[in-house]
C-alpha cells in the first residue's frame, strides 16, 4: 500500500490528506489495503482520511467483541482530537461504525456502510472454516466477490494463515458470534445520523435484502447499488464506489 503505517501510542493507522476527517473501518478478514481506492481519492477532495488498524486479534478473548472495538474507535478519535467525523465501514467495520454511532452520536457527522453486519450474518457460512484446506479457503475468499479474480493469492494466503493460527481462529469465531448477538434492528430506528448505504447487488455474505432492511430502519439513509459486485464494493468497483460516496457527501454538504 502506498501509505506508510504510523505507530503512535497504542495505535497503528494510516493518515493522509487534510480537511474533514473520514475514518475507514476494515472488516474481519480485511486489511488496510482493501481501501486503497478510497485513500487515494478522497485526500484530493478535501478530506483527511484515517484508517486505524483495528485490534481484531490484539484484544483479550473476553473483549474480542463488537462493543470493545466501538470503544477502541472512540479512544482513537479522542487520541487524534477529532470531532464531527465521517465513519466508513465495510462488513464488521460497518457494524463497529453503527454501534459507535449509537454509543457516541455527538461525535459522528455521517455514517457510510457497505456490506455491513449488524442485521444479518452469514459470513461464517456453512462448516467454515476448515483448517489446512487451502482450496476450501480459496473458494471461500473468492465467494466474497462477484469477480473471483479480486481474491488475489495474497488475500487467500492471509485468510489461510489466519484460520490456521489457533488463537486467531478462536477470536475470529468469537467476533462472529458477537456480531450475531449484537443485532441492531431495535437500535436503528432511533439513530438519526445521516447514513449512506452502498451495496453490491451480488453480495452473497450480506445479501441485498439486508441493505433494504438497513435503509428501511435507519431514519435518514440513502441506498445505492453497485451491479456485478459482491461483499466489498470499494475493492471490486473502487471508481464507482468513490463517485457514489463523493456525490452523496457533496449533496449533504459534508
Amino acid at each position: 500500500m502506498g501509505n506508510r503505517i504510523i505507530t503512535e501510542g497504542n495505535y497503528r493507522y494510516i493518515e493522509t490528506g487534510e480537511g474533514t476527517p473520514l475514518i475507514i473501518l476494515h472488516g474481519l478478514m480485511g486489511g488496510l489495503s482493501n481501501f486503497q481506492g478510497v485513500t487515494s481519492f478522497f485526500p484530493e477532495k478535501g478530506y483527511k482520511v484515517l484508517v486505524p488498524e483495528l485490534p481484531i486479534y490484539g484484544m483479550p478473548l473476553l473483549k474480542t467483541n463488537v462493543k470493545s472495538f466501538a470503544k477502541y474507535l472512540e479512544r482513537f478519535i479522542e487520541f487524534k482530537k477529532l470531532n464531527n467525523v465521517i465513519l466508513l465501514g465495510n462488513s464488521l467495520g460497518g457494524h463497529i461504525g453503527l454501534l459507535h454511532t449509537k454509543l457516541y452520536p455527538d461525535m459522528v457527522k455521517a455514517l457510510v456502510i457497505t456490506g455491513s453486519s449488524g442485521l444479518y450474518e452469514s459470513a461464517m457460512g456453512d462448516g467454515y472454516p476448515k483448517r489446512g484446506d487451502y482450496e476450501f479457503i480459496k473458494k471461500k475468499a473468492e465467494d466474497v466477490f462477484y469477480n473471483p479474480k479480486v481474491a488475489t493469492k495474497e488475500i487467500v494466503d492471509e485468510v489461510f494463515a489466519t484460520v490456521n493460527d489457533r488463537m486467531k481462529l478462536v477470536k475470529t469465531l468469537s467476533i462472529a458470534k458477537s456480531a450475531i448477538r449484537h443485532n441492531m434492528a431495535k437500535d436503528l430506528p432511533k439513530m438519526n445520523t445521516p447514513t449512506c448505504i452502498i451495496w453490491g447487488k451480488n453480495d452473497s455474505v450480506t445479501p441485498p435484502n439486508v441493505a433494504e432492511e438497513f435503509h428501511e430502519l435507519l431514519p435518514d439513509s440513502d441506498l445505492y447499488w453497485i451491479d456485478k459486485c459482491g461483499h466489498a464494493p470499494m475493492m471490486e468497483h473502487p471508481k464507482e464506489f468513490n463517485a457514489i460516496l463523493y456525490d452523496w457527501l457533496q449533496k449533504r454538504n459534508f
Side-chain angles (χ1 to χ4, degrees):
M1 176 148 194
N3 296 298
R4 186 174 61 86
I5 294 179
I6 299 162
T7 304
E8 199 180 5
N10 297 322
Y11 306 100
R12 279 168 54 81
Y13 62 97
I14 286 164
E15 181 178 328
T16 174
E18 286 303 327
T20 304
L22 173 62
I23 300 178
I24 295 173
L25 306 166
H26 61 81
L28 181 54
M29 293 287 189
L32 306 192
S33 60
N34 292 12
F35 286 88
Q36 203 158 357
V38 177
T39 53
S40 57
F41 178 86
F42 281 92
E44 293 177 6
K45 304 288 183 190
Y47 294 88
K48 182 200 283 282
V49 179
L50 301 109
V51 195
E53 194 172 82
L54 298 171
I56 295 211
Y57 303 115
M59 292 272 198
L61 186 58
L62 287 172
K63 289 196 167 177
T64 302
N65 57 53
V66 180
K67 193 168 186 180
S68 291
F69 299 136
K71 289 182 169 177
Y72 176 89
L73 173 60
E74 157 65 8
R75 293 194 297 274
F76 175 72
I77 292 171
E78 291 278 352
F79 174 75
K80 291 298 293 175
K81 298 182 170 60
L82 302 170
N83 53 36
N84 281 333
V85 301
I86 299 165
L87 297 180
L88 159 56
N90 172 237
S91 200
L92 175 72
H95 199 164
I96 293 166
L98 283 157
L99 187 56
H100 179 280
T101 303
K102 180 206 161 186
L103 296 172
Y104 312 100
D106 296 342
M107 303 200 72
V108 183
K109 178 157 68 170
L111 181 61
V112 186
I113 56 173
T114 176
S116 178
S117 59
L119 286 177
Y120 169 90
E121 193 53 75
S122 78
M124 294 298 129
D126 42 358
Y128 171 89
K130 286 184 190 167
R131 295 172 73 189
D133 186 342
Y134 188 85
E135 284 308 308
F136 177 83
I137 297 295
K138 182 170 184 267
K139 176 78 173 70
K140 276 282 178 198
E142 288 174 349
D143 286 350
V144 168
F145 305 102
Y146 176 80
N147 176 4
K149 288 193 175 73
V150 179
T152 59
K153 185 176 185 302
E154 192 183 3
I155 288 170
V156 177
D157 286 351
E158 204 173 308
V159 176
F160 184 72
T162 298
V163 300
N164 280 284
D165 177 321
R166 192 182 164 278
M167 201 59 221
K168 282 187 175 179
L169 177 59
V170 168
K171 288 185 173 181
T172 299
L173 296 173
S174 171
I175 294 164
K177 284 176 186 155
S178 153
I180 293 162
R181 273 199 317 272
H182 260 99
N183 187 291
M184 297 193 65
K186 290 190 173 76
D187 302 314
L188 299 178
K190 301 176 205 124
M191 291 171 56
N192 294 308
T193 304
T195 306
C196 178
I197 305 165
I198 306 175
W199 224 264
K201 267 194 178 166
N202 311 89
D203 188 340
S204 60
V205 180
T206 43
N209 62 296
V210 179
E212 284 161 1
E213 196 177 337
F214 270 121
H215 183 38
E216 209 171 287
L217 291 171
L218 284 160
D220 185 7
S221 63
D222 296 296
L223 172 58
Y224 302 93
W225 298 103
I226 297 183
D227 205 10
K228 295 184 177 168
C229 181
H231 188 53
M234 71 288 161
M235 287 176 76
E236 273 199 270
H237 296 282
K239 282 185 181 161
E240 198 174 337
F241 182 89
N242 289 341
I244 290 169
L245 178 51
Y246 185 59
D247 283 352
W248 185 79
L249 292 169
Q250 291 295 99
K251 191 174 84 179
R252 295 290 194 125
N253 290 318
F254 291 144

